[in-house]
C-alpha cells in the first residue's frame, strides 16, 4: 500500500483536487446538456445554427452529450478517483470504527480543564446518581458503559459509529449510478418513430447511430388529437396507442406530453407531431363558368367526367412540387387524344410570377384539355405522432444508487460519532458530577446536546 501511495499515477487519482475538478466539469457539462437540445430535438436546434457552428456542435457531440466519448471518459476518471480515494482512506475509517466498538472509553484526559458550567453537585449518594444517570444516558446513547475505580465512577455512552462510513456510501452510490448508466447505454436503446394516425409500426429508428430496431410487437396510433389555445398555439396533444402481439391486442393506452406509457419494458414518450400528405387531392372541374364535378381521389385513382366519354387518372400527388406548392398530375383519355398535365393549387400566383408560362410549358396548363378547366382545392393531410422510444434497464440500478446517495449524504451531514462521559465523585455526603463529550465532527451539535443533558440532570437532581 505504501508503495502504491508513492506512485505518481496513484497519487494523481487519489487527489481530492481531481475529484473537485471532475465534479465541476461534469456539472458544467450537465448544464450544457440541459440547455442544448439533445437527441431528436437537436435537429430543429441545429437548423437554426450557422452551418459552421452546427458542424462544430456535431463534432464535439454536443447534441448527444450523455452518450459522447468524452463524457464516458469523465465518468471513467471519476470512477477511478472514487475507488482509489476509498481504497486509501477506508482502512483508517475501519480502524476508528473497530476501536469505537471494542476499546474501552479513554477518559484519562477527558475531564481536564473542564469549564465550571459542566460541573454540578447532587445531594444524592454516588451509587444512586450512578443508577439514575446510567438510565438517563441510555435514553440518548446505545453503548453505555460503567466503570468504578474506587475513587470515582465513570459512565460513558456513544452513538453514530456508523458515520465513519457515510462518505464511502456516497462513493459507492455514485459508482452504482454510473454502473446503471453504463448498463442503460450497453443494453438499452434510444429511438424514434413516426406513426401516421390510423397507421402502425413495429420498427423504430435508433438515435445516435445509424440503423433501425425491430420491436417484438406492433404499436398502432388509433387516434391523434390536438387542443389549441385561442391564439392558435397548441395547448396539448395526445396519441391513443394500441399494442399488439401476434395480431392480438395486448394493451391500449394514451400517451401525452410528460405522461409516457410503458409496454414490454419499453417506454413511449410523446415527442412531437406533424402532418403528412394524406394521398388524396380535392379537384374541381369547370366547363366554362359551370362547375361540373368535384371529386376526391388519390394517386392511381380513375375518374370520369360527366356527360362525355372521357376518363381520367391521378398519376401523382405532390405536397410541394419543385418548391412552388401542392400539385397533382393527371392523365386524360378521350376521343380527341390523350393528355397529361399538372394542376397546381396556386396556379394564379405562379402565372403572375412567370408570364407566358402556360404557353411555353403546356404541361403546367390546367386547361389543356378544353373546354375543361381543372383546379386543385387542397391536398388532404393527416397527422402523425412522433414518439420517443426508450428502453433503459439501468433505471432500477440508478434509482437504487440515488436512494443510497441520499442516505450517504444524510449520514455525512446529520450524523457523527458522538461520545458523552460522566464522572461521579463523592463529596460532602453528596456527589460531584462532571460531564463532557467528544465528537468527530459537528462540535456545535455536541455542545447543544451536552447542554440539554446538563439541563435534564439539573432538573432531576436531588
Amino acid at each position: 500500500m505504501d508503495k502504491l501511495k508513492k506512485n505518481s499515477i496513484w497519487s494523481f487519482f487519489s487527489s481530492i483536487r481531481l475529484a473537485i475538478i471532475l465534479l465541476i466539469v461534469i456539472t458544467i457539462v450537465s448544464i450544457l446538456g440541459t440547455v442544448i437540445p439533445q437527441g431528436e430535438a437537436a435537429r430543429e436546434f441545429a437548423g437554426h445554427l450557422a452551418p459552421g457552428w452546427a458542424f462544430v456542435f456535431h463534432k464535439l457531440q454536443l447534441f448527444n452529450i450523455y452518450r459522447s466519448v468524452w463524457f464516458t471518459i469523465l465518468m471513467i476518471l471519476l470512477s477511478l478517483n472514487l475507488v482509489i480515494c476509498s481504497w486509501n482512506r477506508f482502512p483508517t475509517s475501519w480502524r476508528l470504527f473497530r476501536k469505537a466498538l471494542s476499546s474501552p472509553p479513554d477518559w484519562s484526559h477527558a475531564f481536564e480543564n473542564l469549564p465550571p458550567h459542566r460541573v454540578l453537585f447532587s445531594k444524592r449518594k454516588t451509587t444512586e446518581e450512578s443508577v439514575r444517570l446510567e438510565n438517563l444516558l441510555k435514553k440518548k446513547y446505545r453503548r453505555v458503559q460503567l466503570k468504578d475505580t474506587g475513587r470515582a465512577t465513570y459512565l460513558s455512552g456513544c452513538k453514530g459509529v456508523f458515520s465513519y462510513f457515510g462518505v464511502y456510501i456516497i462513493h459507492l452510490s455514485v459508482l452504482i449510478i454510473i454502473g446503471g448508466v453504463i448498463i442503460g447505454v450497453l443494453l438499452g436503446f434510444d429511438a424514434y418513430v413516426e406513426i401516421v394516425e390510423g397507421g402502425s409500426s413495429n420498427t423504430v429508428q435508433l438515435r445516435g447511430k445509424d440503423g433501425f430496431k425491430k420491436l417484438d410487437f406492433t404499436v398502432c396510433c388509433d387516434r391523434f388529437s390536438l387542443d389549441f389555445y385561442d391564439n392558435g398555439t397548441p395547448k396539448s396533444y395526445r396519441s391513443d396507442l394500441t399494442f399488439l402481439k401476434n395480431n392480438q391486442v395486448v394493451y391500449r393506452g394514451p400517451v401525452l406530453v410528460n405522461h409516457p406509457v410503458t409496454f414490454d419494458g419499453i417506454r413511449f414518450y410523446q415527442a412531437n407531431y406533424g402532418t403528412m400528405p394524406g394521398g388524396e387531392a380535392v379537384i374541381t372541374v369547370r366547363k366554362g363558368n359551370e362547375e361540373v364535378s368535384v371529386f376526391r381521389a388519390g394517386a392511381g385513382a380513375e375518374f370520369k367526367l360527366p356527360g362525355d366519354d372521357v376518363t381520367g387518372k391521378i398519376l401523382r400527388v405532390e405536397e410541394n412540387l419543385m418548391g412552388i406548392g401542392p400539385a397533382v398530375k393527371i392523365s386524360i383519355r378521350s376521343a380527341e387524344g390523350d393528355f397529361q398535365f399538372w394542376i397546381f393549387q396556386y396556379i394564379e400566383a405562379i402565372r403572375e410570377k412567370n408570364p407566358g408560362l402556360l404557353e411555353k410549358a403546356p404541361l403546367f396548363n390546367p386547361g389543356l384539355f378544353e373546354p375543361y378547366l381543372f383546379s386543385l382545392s387542397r391536398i388532404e393531410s393527416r397527422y402523425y405522432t412522433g414518439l420517443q422510444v426508450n428502453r433503459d434497464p439501468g433505471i432500477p440500478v440508478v434509482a437504487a444508487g440515488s436512494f443510497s446517495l441520499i442516505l450517504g449524504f444524510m449520514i455525512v451531514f446529520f450524523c457523527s460519532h458522538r461520545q458523552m462521559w460522566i464522572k461521579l465523585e463523592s463529596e460532602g455526603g453528596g456527589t460531584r458530577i462532571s460531564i463532557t463529550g467528544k465528537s468527530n465532527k459537528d462540535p456545535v451539535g455536541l455542545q447543544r446536546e451536552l447542554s440539554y443533558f446538563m439541563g435534564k440532570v439539573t432538573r432531576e437532581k436531588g
Side-chain angles (χ1 to χ4, degrees):
M1 177 64 78
D2 291 338
K3 289 183 179 179
L4 278 176
K5 288 183 178 179
K6 292 178 182 177
N7 185 283
S8 58
I9 298 177
W10 185 272
S11 299
F12 172 75
F13 280 109
S14 65
S15 166
I16 298 294
R17 181 178 300 176
L18 175 65
I20 294 174
I21 292 173
L22 287 172
L23 290 174
I24 292 174
V25 172
I26 291 171
T27 301
I28 294 173
V29 168
S30 300
I31 293 173
L32 288 176
T34 304
V35 174
I36 301 174
Q38 302 288 297
E40 191 65 27
R43 293 185 179 181
E44 183 179 352
F45 176 73
H48 294 86
L49 295 176
W53 281 110
F55 177 78
V56 171
F57 274 52
H58 175 71
K59 285 299 179 183
L60 293 178
Q61 297 180 297
L62 294 180
F63 294 138
N64 199 12
I65 287 177
Y66 302 112
R67 291 175 182 266
S68 64
V69 174
W70 52 270
F71 190 77
T72 303
I73 293 173
L74 283 175
M75 292 295 104
I76 293 173
L77 289 176
L78 181 62
S79 300
L80 284 173
N81 178 253
L82 292 175
V83 170
I84 294 176
C85 279
S86 300
W87 186 277
N88 276 356
R89 294 167 176 78
F90 186 78
T92 302
S93 300
W94 180 249
R95 192 163 50 249
L96 290 172
F97 174 75
R98 288 179 58 85
K99 182 181 177 182
L101 291 182
S102 59
S103 301
D106 180 15
W107 38 47
S108 57
H109 304 290
F111 298 96
E112 294 179 356
N113 303 319
L114 203 62
H117 67 276
R118 296 296 182 215
V119 180
L120 56 91
F121 295 92
S122 169
K123 296 177 181 177
R124 292 194 181 98
K125 294 183 178 179
T126 304
T127 51
E128 293 177 11
E129 281 295 349
S130 173
V131 173
R132 186 175 73 89
L133 294 183
E134 183 179 11
N135 292 331
L136 198 59
L137 201 58
K138 283 181 178 177
K139 293 180 181 177
K140 297 286 289 184
Y141 293 84
R142 293 182 179 276
R143 293 177 52 79
V144 175
Q145 298 183 56
L146 184 146
K147 181 181 179 181
D148 191 350
T149 63
R151 297 180 57 184
T153 300
Y154 294 92
L155 286 167
S156 72
C158 75
K159 64 181 179 181
V161 181
F162 58 88
S163 64
Y164 287 111
F165 304 119
V167 67
Y168 304 106
I169 294 175
I170 292 176
H171 289 186
L172 181 62
S173 303
V174 174
L175 293 174
I176 290 173
I177 291 173
I178 293 174
V181 173
I182 293 173
I183 290 173
V185 171
L186 295 179
L187 304 181
F189 65 86
D190 190 19
Y192 177 78
V193 64
E194 291 178 353
I195 305 175
V196 70
E197 185 178 18
S200 62
S201 177
N202 63 353
T203 304
V204 294
Q205 184 176 9
L206 297 174
R207 284 175 164 174
K209 59 181 84 170
D210 295 330
F212 296 85
K213 180 176 181 59
K214 187 173 183 181
L215 305 176
D216 296 330
F217 54 88
T218 299
V219 55
C220 306
C221 177
D222 300 327
R223 181 171 177 268
F224 180 81
S225 55
L226 263 172
D227 287 332
F228 295 91
Y229 291 105
D230 294 338
N231 62 3
T233 305
K235 181 179 180 182
S236 65
Y237 43 100
R238 150 185 182 142
S239 304
D240 293 318
L241 303 181
T242 296
F243 298 88
L244 300 96
K245 272 189 171 180
N246 301 320
N247 295 322
Q248 300 293 320
V249 175
V250 180
Y251 181 76
R252 280 194 175 97
V255 179
L256 296 90
V257 176
N258 297 327
H259 291 82
V261 64
T262 302
F263 179 76
D264 209 23
I266 299 175
R267 184 160 288 192
F268 291 78
Y269 298 87
Q270 182 69 69
N272 54 32
Y273 69 94
T275 59
M276 60 176 58
E280 290 191 337
V282 179
I283 298 173
T284 302
V285 184
R286 285 186 173 80
K287 189 175 184 180
N289 295 324
E290 180 186 2
E291 183 177 288
V292 297
S293 176
V294 178
F295 61 92
R296 179 185 289 106
E302 295 185 349
F303 59 91
K304 186 176 181 181
L305 295 180
D308 294 311
D309 188 18
V310 180
T311 59
K313 185 176 183 180
I314 306 293
L315 300 178
R316 290 173 59 183
V317 178
E318 297 290 341
E319 190 179 22
N320 189 10
L321 183 67
M322 299 183 297
I324 53 178
V328 173
K329 188 177 184 180
I330 66 172
S331 169
I332 299 292
R333 179 170 293 177
S334 67
E336 291 79 14
D338 294 342
F339 301 84
Q340 288 189 8
F341 51 91
W342 285 95
I343 310 170
F344 282 89
Q345 183 174 352
Y346 306 115
I347 186 62
E348 294 303 325
I350 296 171
R351 289 178 63 180
E352 289 182 6
K353 289 184 177 180
N354 303 275
L357 174 67
L358 303 190
E359 291 73 18
K360 297 175 184 176
L363 189 64
F364 290 173
N365 185 0
L368 186 64
F369 178 62
E370 294 178 346
Y372 296 97
L373 176 64
F374 293 78
S375 61
L376 175 62
S377 301
R378 64 182 182 276
I379 293 178
E380 294 191 336
S381 59
R382 292 189 292 172
Y383 281 110
Y384 69 81
T385 180
L387 301 173
Q388 178 184 338
V389 186
N390 177 272
R391 180 177 184 273
D392 190 346
I395 287 179
V397 181
V398 173
S402 301
F403 177 78
S404 175
L405 186 66
I406 294 172
L407 178 64
F409 276 120
M410 291 182 67
I411 292 174
V412 167
F413 289 117
F414 301 111
C415 299
S416 61
H417 178 211
R418 193 170 293 176
Q419 297 170 280
M420 184 175 290
W421 299 314
I422 303 173
K423 183 181 178 182
L424 305 172
E425 298 170 287
S426 296
E427 187 174 299
T431 303
R432 186 173 191 266
I433 305 172
S434 305
I435 300 177
T436 187
K438 180 183 177 183
S439 177
N440 64 336
K441 55 188 176 184
D442 191 18
V444 175
L446 174 66
Q447 293 302 319
R448 191 182 302 118
E449 191 159 299
L450 284 174
S451 299
Y452 171 79
F453 197 80
M454 288 291 295
K456 292 282 289 184
V457 172
T458 302
R459 284 193 295 274
E460 297 177 11
K461 74 177 182 180

